Amino acid sequence: MKYKSLGRTEISVSEICLGTMTWGSQNSESDAHAQMDYAVEKGVNFFDTAELYPTTPVSPETQGWTEDYIGSWFEKTGKRREIVLATKVAGRGRDYLRGGEGADAKNIRLALEASLKRLKTDYVDLYQVHWPNRGHFHFRQNWSYNPFNQDRDKAVANMLEILETMGALVKEGKIRTIGLSNETTWGIQKYLTLSEQKSLPRVASVQNEYNLLYRHFDLDLAELSHHEDVGLLAYSPLAGGILTGKYVDGGRPKGSRASINPDIGGRLQPLQEPATKAYLTLAARYGLDPAAMALAFCLSRPFMTSVIIGATSMEQLKTDLGAAELTLSDEVLAEIAKVHRQYPLTL
């Protein structure tokens, strides 16, 4: 397992992060504890969660259970100080989370206090805004994305309020550093500019989707990441499981994400099938597990700080963590590039 700095901080995180969003819906508390035990044994020191979790499906009845499970593991093992813990405050729109008001001074404090209680800790290492209040193109919203109805002054004022609140929480010792999620290039850069102008905490990372089927980050976001040291924490590196091949030709394995969420958040649709089959064929030709190949590709990207894996079984977890030991040859990377040129955007 390799480790990288989180932005310009002195926090070192494993290149594979243990994602947790199935815990409480597809996984039990004992499953979650077993996953944490195994991941830490294999060198993972980075867990990512959110006040919203679990998902698949997102539910007001189960909201917060994932953090509960992490908290009970900390209590049982006493390993809190060994883990870099990341969680998130929700953006606007979820009515059962404080009326859906989103991230602002009041709601950040309320959300963090509730998360700390569930997590049974007095601080979070990385506190992230789950999605921007003003709107964004993530979660398959790129097809209807319209930034021209945004109020710039209102958006900037909200960003400043978020930074000021986070700054106060850093001084109080409740968070160590801050991050964004589902953000745009303009949004990240505006946060950076405000933090420099106002001497407020600097964004250390951004958690956006990235995988063989969805590579938006390769472009202007990669440039920003390089120049500003805002590394990517990639979520859905297997495109919700699509890149394992289990959904080809209409497959819906029992207990899988697609058996609960039929289109996997808009990902499982006909346009992705040819590209998925091309990557599966490529992996087979070189004797590679398709999931391991997909994860190893993400790990090879120069802007990657950590790849967030998610597993519903120990078998999946072992395969995913094994990707840390796989280095793709130049030949395989060239073949991946050929497939990407043929199918540049399929999700």
Side-chain angles (χ1 to χ4, degrees):
M1 186 66 66
K2 299 181 180 67
Y3 301 86
K4 297 182 180 180
S5 295
L6 190 61
R8 294 180 182 174
T9 74
E10 296 181 356
I11 301 172
S12 179
V13 297
S14 50
E15 64 177 345
I16 292 182
C17 173
L18 184 60
T20 64
M21 71 178 190
T22 62
W23 300 353
S25 55
Q26 291 173 270
N27 290 100
S28 67
E29 185 172 23
S30 61
D31 291 338
H33 285 196
Q35 287 193 27
M36 286 182 274
D37 288 338
Y38 184 80
V40 170
E41 178 186 327
K42 293 300 179 181
V44 172
N45 76 339
F46 193 17
F47 295 173
D48 177 73
T49 187
E51 65 165 337
L52 182 70
Y53 294 169
T55 60
T56 56
V58 173
S59 165
E61 288 74 33
T62 59
Q63 180 266 321
W65 286 11
T66 302
E67 290 184 327
D68 282 332
Y69 293 178
I70 296 171
S72 62
W73 184 83
F74 285 150
E75 189 173 54
K76 180 178 75 172
T77 64
K79 292 184 176 180
R80 170 65 187 96
R81 305 293 169 178
E82 299 176 26
I83 302 301
V84 178
L85 176 63
T87 192
K88 311 177 194 77
V89 56
R92 184 171 290 126
R94 294 285 176 181
D95 290 345
Y96 58 88
L97 290 172
R98 299 170 302 281
E101 294 177 353
D104 58 20
K106 178 188 74 173
N107 284 289
I108 287 171
R109 285 192 170 275
L110 289 171
L112 180 61
E113 291 301 331
S115 288
L116 292 175
K117 183 177 180 180
R118 288 189 291 265
L119 291 162
K120 294 182 170 59
T121 184
D122 55 3
Y123 73 100
V124 167
D125 297 281
L126 174 66
Y127 201 45
Q128 305 158 102
V129 179
H130 207 154
W131 61 88
N133 290 333
R134 69 183 188 279
H136 57 89
F137 57 77
H138 301 275
F139 307 150
R140 300 317 119 217
Q141 295 181 107
N142 45 307
W143 307 114
S144 58
Y145 178 56
N146 178 21
F148 299 98
N149 59 14
Q150 294 177 8
D151 183 323
R152 181 186 183 280
D153 291 342
K154 184 177 180 180
V156 173
N158 178 241
M159 292 176 179
L160 182 57
E161 182 177 354
I162 287 170
L163 285 173
E164 289 173 340
T165 306
M166 297 287 201
L169 291 167
V170 169
K171 290 179 180 178
E172 293 168 25
K174 294 181 178 179
I175 60 177
R176 294 178 67 193
T177 193
I178 68 170
L180 302 171
S181 184
N182 299 297
E183 256 298 358
T184 66
T185 305
W186 178 80
I188 300 167
Q189 184 58 62
K190 182 55 65 176
Y191 273 105
L192 293 171
T193 299
L194 289 170
S195 68
E196 290 172 3
Q197 291 174 342
K198 306 291 185 179
S199 299
L200 292 166
R202 192 177 198 277
V203 170
S205 59
V206 60
Q207 185 176 148
N208 283 4
E209 180 169 1
Y210 187 83
N211 54 61
L212 288 170
L213 300 175
Y214 186 86
R215 292 176 53 179
H216 180 272
F217 205 95
D218 285 339
L219 306 173
D220 51 341
L221 283 161
E223 180 183 29
L224 182 143
S225 178
H226 169 65
H227 291 300
E228 300 295 339
D229 300 313
V230 178
L232 175 62
L233 309 180
Y235 74 77
S236 292
L238 297 179
I242 292 172
L243 287 165
T244 67
K246 61 187 171 184
Y247 300 126
V248 294
D249 298 322
R252 297 291 190 279
K254 184 178 180 181
S256 67
R257 188 171 176 184
S259 69
I260 300 169
N261 182 354
D263 67 354
I264 314 181
R267 296 178 181 87
L268 197 55
Q269 42 80 23
L271 285 175
Q272 60 75 28
E273 184 104 345
T276 299
K277 288 183 175 179
Y279 287 120
L280 293 173
T281 299
L282 193 163
R285 188 160 68 245
Y286 287 92
L288 300 170
D289 179 276
M293 184 186 80
L295 292 169
F297 171 75
C298 291
L299 289 169
S300 75
R301 307 307 288 158
F303 46 72
M304 194 66 65
T305 294
S306 192
V307 174
I308 304 171
I309 61 170
T312 53
S313 71
M314 288 301 294
E315 181 181 1
Q316 291 172 346
L317 182 62
K318 291 175 181 179
T319 297
D320 292 352
L321 289 174
E325 301 174 8
L326 174 62
T327 300
L328 299 180
S329 67
D330 291 342
E331 188 176 6
V332 171
L333 291 171
E335 291 293 326
I336 287 174
K338 288 180 182 179
V339 176
H340 180 55
R341 286 181 70 88
Q342 186 175 5
Y343 304 104
L345 179 62
T346 58
L347 292 183

